Amino acid sequence: METTPHTAAVVVGTGFAGIGASIALDQAGIDHVVLERAGDVGGTWRDNHYPGCRCDVPSHLYSFSFAPNPEWSETYSPQPEILRYLRRTAERYGVTDRTLYGHEVLDAAWDEREQHWRLTTPAGPRTAQVLVLGNGPLAEPSIPDLPGLETFEGTMFHSAQWRDDHDVRGERVAVIGTGASAIQIVPAIQPEAAHITVFQRTAPWVLPHSNRRITEFERSVYRRFPAAQRLVRESVYWSREAVGAALVRNGRGLRVLERLARRHITRQVPDAELRAKLMPDYRPGCKRLLPSDEWYPAICQPNVDVVTEKIVAVGPDRVVTAEGREVVVDTIVLATGFHVTDNPVARRLRGRDGRTLAEQWAETGMQAYLGTTVPNFPNLFMLAGPNTGIGHTSLVFMIEAQLAYLVSALDTMRRRGAASVQLRPRVLEAWNAEIQRKASRTVWNSGGCTSWYLDAAGRNTTMWPDSTLRFRRLTRRFDPESYELRARAALAPGR
């Protein structure tokens, strides 16, 4: 009779969070496996490979602190380089040897009697004492609910599911959305497409891009003197924190950003009517600030139109707007973002009382103490969870802070002989009250826009409303007084 495979921990996902978690657990001597639904590591940087894809956080900061990359070719890395970095780091630290591919977690239920998690995957069941979620907030593409979308007979795909086998040369393309992916896609395909129609619901604030090539001399210095690259990383960190302070305080600092953005669009969009369409009517930072020197020039080309009318229907070969405009297209690109505040993974996790995490969050919105733990879900640790998002700097910084907390928690369990740790409900209540109080004053809440930072009830369940340095201080070590620690014997006296 075959036994169900068991490990001390299971890590879900192989993006920055999953790879970082596996490295941290391995260095702590904790037996674990990594479950990956795809056939390769990389997470969002494996899935998002659309034309023009690159990071909008500086390269030196958008990497693990313990694994600097002196070979970045540009100050803002293109997607292929980030993916190579993740693959190389995973191989260097043995993550690939601990990864099981094609192992999507279909269901995860806490077994109260055995004090471990029971997981269901396409390859069969598994159990683990600790479950670490590294699936990330940008893993599940959001498809808009447009009448007739399923009747479209041309080629249609989400930006995170780009069809490499599809050539847009000479085609009429509809790009739905004007967020971070759209402003990279449109300039990349504009020279090839016969015509592009951009359907814009809300104009983004676009800032001048400071990207440049990193010289061979600079790279040679980083190779020979790693401290030099660490110094650059430190300076980038503090410059980004200054932007973060402006977003959190929602004050005069944003006026500087607004002047810069307005000057940028005035210089790059000479047509007053088009410029009026592209000028946002909310405070900068309320939605993600987007750096680009190519977006506005591409929009100004004669083969690109911007449509601000609401889409009311999609037909076999066209997109129809509320004002009766019918735009005939061959290809539709859905640059419509991801399920963030309603991540479907929450529907697959069942806690002590049998309820799913989605059911627990149904009334309160997404909540997690330090973005990491929730009551009723023992030994569950989320990475890049609720209210860990940052709009100005590297999410990798936040993930590494959470990893320190995770390792400290598992060390505490080992020293105290605990089979499980479960967050006390009152701790989360106090934590979330503080988070929402601070978030209410930020530009994300009061900047005059609607964004994926807020859930359907208007709660900010996504962004971290403070300095990242404070988050690192809070997660530096596990705080057992916030948890209920239980030993296996106390739960199963008859065993």
Side-chain angles (χ1 to χ4, degrees):
M1 180 178 178
E2 292 187 5
T3 58
T4 302
H6 178 84
T7 46
V10 158
V11 176
V12 180
T14 59
F16 270 102
I19 291 172
S22 181
I23 293 170
L25 292 175
D26 180 62
Q27 292 177 344
I30 297 169
D31 172 47
H32 70 281
V33 294
V34 184
L35 304 185
E36 170 55 58
R37 66 182 178 183
D40 192 10
V41 302
T44 190
W45 293 106
R46 174 199 61 230
D47 297 340
N48 287 268
H49 49 82
Y50 55 78
C53 184
R54 71 168 62 241
C55 189
D56 59 5
V57 174
S59 309
H60 294 303
L61 193 57
Y62 198 75
S63 52
F64 292 116
S65 62
F66 56 83
N69 178 24
E71 305 302 331
W72 295 122
S73 66
E74 300 178 58
T75 52
Y76 289 79
S77 313
Q79 176 267 341
E81 285 191 32
I82 299 174
L83 182 56
R84 285 197 297 271
Y85 169 79
L86 287 169
R87 285 172 174 162
R88 187 168 63 249
T89 303
E91 291 169 0
R92 174 184 173 188
Y93 288 91
V95 177
T96 50
D97 297 332
R98 298 185 288 272
T99 300
L100 301 176
Y101 300 101
H103 279 61
E104 181 177 9
V105 175
L106 305 174
D107 183 76
W110 175 253
D111 187 323
E112 182 75 351
R113 180 178 179 83
E114 297 297 332
Q115 290 286 274
H116 64 210
W117 283 93
R118 293 189 176 276
L119 310 177
T120 303
T121 78
R126 301 189 65 89
T127 60
Q129 185 180 10
V130 173
L131 179 58
V132 182
L133 294 183
N135 52 290
L138 305 181
E140 302 294 335
S142 177
I143 307 301
D145 184 17
L146 298 175
L149 195 64
E150 71 285 353
T151 69
F152 185 66
E153 296 177 355
T155 303
M156 179 173 60
F157 47 85
H158 192 275
S159 58
Q161 299 164 333
W162 191 269
R163 287 273 304 274
D164 290 322
D165 61 342
H166 181 67
D167 193 343
V168 300
R169 281 182 292 185
E171 288 203 332
R172 297 162 296 184
V173 181
V175 176
I176 300 178
T178 52
S181 57
I183 73 159
Q184 295 178 341
I185 291 170
V186 172
I189 68 173
Q190 176 271 321
E192 300 177 348
H195 193 274
I196 299 175
T197 304
V198 177
F199 289 89
Q200 172 186 279
R201 183 176 60 181
T202 307
W205 282 106
V206 180
L207 297 168
H209 206 322
S210 58
N211 184 47
R212 65 171 179 82
R213 299 288 298 180
I214 297 176
T215 66
E216 174 55 34
F217 173 74
E218 289 174 285
R219 292 197 294 271
S220 67
V221 170
Y222 298 149
R223 292 187 208 109
R224 294 187 61 189
F225 307 104
Q229 190 172 20
R230 288 196 297 269
L231 184 62
V232 171
R233 178 187 174 96
E234 191 76 9
S235 65
V236 171
Y237 169 78
W238 286 111
S239 67
R240 305 296 286 198
E241 281 301 283
V243 176
L247 299 175
V248 168
R249 293 170 184 168
N250 192 17
R252 287 179 295 179
L254 292 181
R255 297 176 190 170
V256 177
L257 290 176
E258 182 167 345
R259 285 197 297 269
L260 185 64
R262 287 184 178 277
R263 189 180 307 125
H264 189 48
I265 189 172
T266 300
R267 288 175 175 174
Q268 292 200 324
V269 184
D271 181 82
E273 183 177 348
L274 177 58
R275 192 164 61 241
K277 282 185 179 181
L278 301 174
M279 189 70 75
D281 60 358
Y282 54 91
R283 298 208 79 188
C286 184
K287 297 169 76 73
R288 188 173 180 91
L289 295 167
L290 305 177
S292 177
D293 290 338
E294 301 170 336
W295 167 247
Y296 290 139
I299 288 292
C300 291
Q301 297 305 308
N303 68 329
V304 179
D305 285 333
V306 177
V307 174
T308 58
E309 303 157 22
K310 180 181 179 180
I311 298 174
V312 294
V314 176
D317 65 346
R318 65 196 60 207
V319 178
V320 184
T321 73
E323 296 184 13
R325 182 186 306 209
E326 298 189 9
V327 182
V328 178
V329 295
D330 305 300
T331 294
I332 295 177
V333 177
L334 302 172
T336 46
F338 299 86
H339 288 283
V340 178
T341 59
D342 60 343
N343 195 311
V345 171
R347 297 195 291 268
R348 304 180 186 183
L349 302 174
R350 288 180 286 131
R352 289 180 64 190
D353 57 6
R355 289 193 306 160
T356 67
L357 185 57
E359 289 171 332
Q360 183 165 311
W361 280 345
E363 297 298 325
T364 64
M366 295 194 310
Q367 296 181 8
Y369 177 56
L370 298 171
T372 308
T373 57
V374 293
N376 300 320
F377 287 79
N379 293 6
L380 174 67
F381 296 87
M382 289 179 279
L383 301 175
N387 293 111
T388 59
I390 57 278
H392 64 283
T393 190
S394 174
L395 185 60
V396 184
F397 182 96
M398 303 291 277
I399 290 170
E400 286 196 47
Q402 289 181 287
L403 292 178
Y405 191 78
L406 166 66
V407 171
S408 179
L410 300 187
D411 180 62
T412 300
M413 290 173 64
R414 178 189 58 79
R415 287 186 289 102
R416 299 194 180 189
S420 68
V421 293
Q422 180 182 215
L423 183 70
R424 299 182 187 276
R426 59 174 173 77
V427 175
L428 180 58
E429 291 171 7
W431 171 258
N432 193 63
E434 178 188 357
I435 290 293
Q436 294 306 320
R437 177 178 55 80
K438 289 186 174 182
S440 67
R441 301 192 295 261
T442 67
V443 70
W444 307 306
N445 284 50
S446 56
C449 74
T450 301
S451 75
W452 56 267
Y453 299 156
L454 309 181
D455 66 12
R459 293 174 294 234
N460 189 332
T461 58
T462 306
M463 305 302 284
W464 170 244
D466 209 329
S467 74
T468 59
L469 197 61
R470 180 168 183 263
F471 186 81
R472 187 168 69 178
R473 286 197 300 266
L474 291 171
T475 53
R476 192 179 300 277
R477 61 179 58 87
F478 185 65
D479 47 339
E481 66 277 3
S482 299
Y483 294 80
E484 183 181 353
L485 280 69
R486 294 188 177 184
R488 188 187 310 278
L491 290 164
R495 292 179 62 85

